[in-house]
Amino acid sequence: MVRVKSRYLLCEVNVSESSDLLLLDDRAVAGAVRSAVARMHGDYGAALCSIRFSVKYLNVHNGMVFLRFPKSCFQFLWSALPFITNIESRGQQIPCFLNCLHVGGTIRTCQKFLIRYNTQQLQRILPKCKNAGNTEKDHVCQEILNCLPTRGTKPTYEGGSEFEEDERE
Amino acid sequence: MAVFMDLNLMFSADRTRISKLLETAAHLGFSTVAINYTFEPTSLLPLQEIPVPKPINELIDQLPVVQGRSRPIRVLNRLTVVVSDPSHYRPNAPEYRRFDLLAVQPTSEKLFHAACMLYDIDIICISVTEKLPFFFKRAPINGAIDRGVVFEVSYSAAIRDSTMRRYTIANAASLTDSCKGKNVILSSAAEKALELRGPYDITNLGLLFGLSDGDAKEAVSSTCRAALLHAETRKTASGIVIRDSDKNATSTCAGDTPAAKRVKTT
């Protein structure tokens, strides 16, 4: 059987103020992508965007976005993503940029990559945890140890929000 | 995992800006960056001062660790001389020694030819903020490729403004036509941390500029490394080490220029 194939792009939204991340929602991101593609590639790009493009998942604590594109034109549409300079959400312009981390054929492969990536991030922030609050360090250590033997998704998402809290401090 | 480099981060006196830039670059996965000091001599003021690079520990306290690796980011210094007159570029000037990379931005056909064939530099910048007044010819470009000089296209002007976008793509496409995609590097000329883009995004931008898939990936990784190696050999090759029985080994400037080394990309 012919199967309809898509490409899932895992992107990270980088902002200068981490509190701005909480204002995002998936319709704002979708609107930003569509307008960037329309600006760069005109009517042709806008038409391609309307086929099967959508924002599948958005994590406001981490800034992780899953974007879905049709397989035939995903590189073309991907080339417009670096030109996004801000995302408009709830009347506010949030200056940010999208950094693509991984391209996958299915959501599951992207999720596997995301789990590995989050584990690496936890390990990166471990030395940055302040020594004053030893509980934070223990928390992060606990999350890292949780991630290693199991392959479940639950520890990771908790680890994701933990990561964000520690980043802000 | 390839080593990604961004060889053009604009210098600004603001310390927080530079530290944010370096942190963002490390977060995105760039192992090596170069802080660019632009020097634009005008004929009205001869003997303008060439800027002195600030030592890295003045700019940022601790170098951030690169995403995906265990080493801190490597920061180099680079000088870009915008030449509009042949007298602007002074070969073997002692101030050039303080910089790790040397770049030249020619503004006319003759200067471009001279820069490709004669000047002792590593990078030739292709201007992106204006329509190029001259066309690229195959002969000087092939000469530059043989010598190991790379051509640089910077993309942050394209991100800022729509007219710049057209100039960037036009100039980059005509460069790719003439040089067949070899010896091209893509870098941001980022002044703020939000103007940087990740290496895979830049590879994709390379496809827009006319590079092939392999060339675009090389433009961010191995060609940059080739430029760095070329710079190192350039720095070390233009001197003779004199061993005196009384004194320690000193290096002095040689009168003759060495044969330009061809750096092979692995």
Side-chain angles (χ1 to χ4, degrees):
Chain A
M1 281 304 296
V2 173
R3 176 168 153 167
V4 171
K5 298 198 177 183
S6 312
R7 285 285 178 258
Y8 292 89
L9 225 59
L10 170 62
C11 297
E12 184 187 6
V13 180
N14 293 58
V15 283
S16 40
E17 308 283 326
S18 46
S19 52
D20 286 343
L21 267 184
L22 299 172
L23 298 170
L24 287 178
D25 66 341
D26 45 1
R27 263 179 303 175
V29 175
V33 172
R34 258 182 245 268
S35 64
V37 170
R39 253 184 303 144
M40 280 297 294
H41 299 304
D43 293 330
Y44 175 62
L48 283 180
C49 230
S50 67
I51 301 178
R52 243 185 341 272
F53 163 67
S54 60
V55 173
K56 278 296 178 186
Y57 167 77
L58 169 65
N59 183 339
V60 290
H61 300 289
N62 252 347
M64 293 295 174
V65 190
F66 278 12
L67 300 170
R68 179 173 77 168
F69 293 115
K71 179 178 167 186
S72 48
C73 57
F74 87 98
Q75 251 183 347
F76 185 67
L77 296 173
W78 183 12
S79 63
L81 291 185
F83 295 95
I84 296 180
T85 50
N86 46 28
I87 297 185
E88 176 161 350
S89 159
R90 296 182 212 172
Q92 280 194 11
Q93 297 269 4
I94 306 167
C96 62
F97 67 93
L98 255 62
N99 171 34
C100 170
L101 300 170
H102 185 247
V103 178
T106 56
I107 295 193
R108 191 175 297 176
T109 51
C110 286
Q111 192 178 51
K112 281 192 215 165
F113 177 84
L114 187 58
I115 292 174
R116 276 202 325 258
Y117 182 77
N118 280 343
T119 333
Q120 279 178 4
Q121 295 296 96
L122 278 179
Q123 288 167 353
R124 260 169 78 91
I125 61 167
L126 182 59
K128 285 192 212 164
C129 281
K130 284 195 201 160
N131 282 329
N134 262 323
T135 47
E136 292 163 9
K137 213 164 179 173
D138 293 337
H139 236 130
V140 176
C141 280
Q142 189 62 36
E143 290 295 334
I144 292 183
L145 290 174
N146 271 342
C147 289
L148 289 177
T150 64
R151 284 179 64 228
T153 56
K154 213 170 152 214
T156 322
Y157 293 143
E158 285 171 349
S161 50
E162 286 278 341
F163 156 59
E164 189 46 49
E165 284 169 22
D166 289 341
E167 261 301 338
R168 258 184 263 149
E169 292 179 64
Chain B
M1 271 299 264
V3 175
F4 296 116
M5 306 192 187
D6 188 346
L7 294 180
N8 192 342
L9 296 183
M10 298 301 281
F11 171 74
S12 67
D14 192 359
R15 207 183 140 155
T16 43
R17 236 190 215 189
I18 296 242
S19 59
K20 279 225 89 169
L21 260 180
L22 291 177
E23 276 168 22
T24 318
H27 181 74
L28 290 173
F30 290 108
S31 334
T32 312
V33 290
I35 300 194
N36 188 12
Y37 295 79
T38 332
F39 173 54
E40 190 166 344
T42 51
S43 24
L44 305 168
L45 302 157
L47 294 181
Q48 253 172 330
E49 290 216 350
I50 299 183
V52 174
K54 271 191 163 173
I56 307 294
N57 39 18
E58 273 189 35
L59 293 171
I60 189 172
D61 295 319
Q62 199 195 8
L63 291 173
V65 176
V66 180
Q67 174 91 266
R69 274 159 214 271
S70 50
R71 286 188 164 195
I73 196 170
R74 191 173 155 207
V75 184
L76 305 169
N77 287 317
R78 166 191 149 161
L79 176 70
T80 304
V81 187
V82 181
V83 280
S84 36
D85 197 79
S87 64
H88 287 165
Y89 172 76
R90 298 197 292 267
N92 292 335
E95 293 94 347
Y96 292 170
R97 282 183 181 281
R98 300 199 200 116
F99 295 96
D100 303 299
L101 287 163
L102 265 191
V104 144
Q105 187 171 341
T107 48
S108 78
E109 171 103 51
K110 286 202 164 160
L111 288 168
F112 181 73
H113 189 97
C116 286
M117 310 293 266
L118 303 171
Y119 287 174
D120 200 14
I121 47 174
D122 310 306
I123 302 176
I124 297 184
C125 299
I126 305 295
S127 86
V128 292
T129 49
E130 55 181 6
K131 180 107 177 36
L132 273 181
F134 57 93
F135 288 111
F136 294 114
K137 297 226 179 88
R138 288 268 168 106
I141 289 193
N142 285 336
I145 293 179
D146 286 334
R147 280 177 57 203
V149 181
V150 297
F151 298 96
E152 180 197 44
V153 180
S154 42
Y155 61 79
S156 76
I159 293 176
R160 282 182 227 140
D161 189 37
S162 154
T163 343
M164 299 296 145
R165 222 172 279 170
R166 295 178 198 187
Y167 292 146
T168 312
I169 298 185
N171 295 347
S174 62
L175 171 70
T176 326
D177 279 339
S178 325
C179 76
K180 291 177 283 193
K182 291 163 73 168
N183 278 39
V184 176
I185 64 173
L186 294 167
S187 60
S188 70
E191 292 163 14
K192 297 190 284 197
L194 289 175
E195 287 168 11
L196 277 175
R197 292 293 180 264
Y200 298 111
D201 288 325
I202 308 180
T203 310
N204 225 18
L205 266 188
L207 295 177
L208 264 192
F209 293 161
L211 296 171
S212 71
D213 269 330
D215 287 337
K217 180 121 192 269
E218 276 183 15
V220 197
S221 51
S222 41
T223 320
C224 293
R225 190 164 164 270
L228 273 188
L229 293 174
H230 185 261
E232 281 182 25
T233 51
R234 181 181 53 81
K235 270 176 91 170
T236 52
S238 61
I240 316 175
V241 175
I242 297 179
R243 195 84 210 252
D244 211 282
S245 49
D246 310 329
K247 305 177 206 162
N248 295 326
T250 51
S251 54
T252 55
C253 247
D256 50 327
T257 45
K261 289 196 167 196
R262 173 151 189 201
V263 180
K264 285 223 165 181
T265 56
T266 42

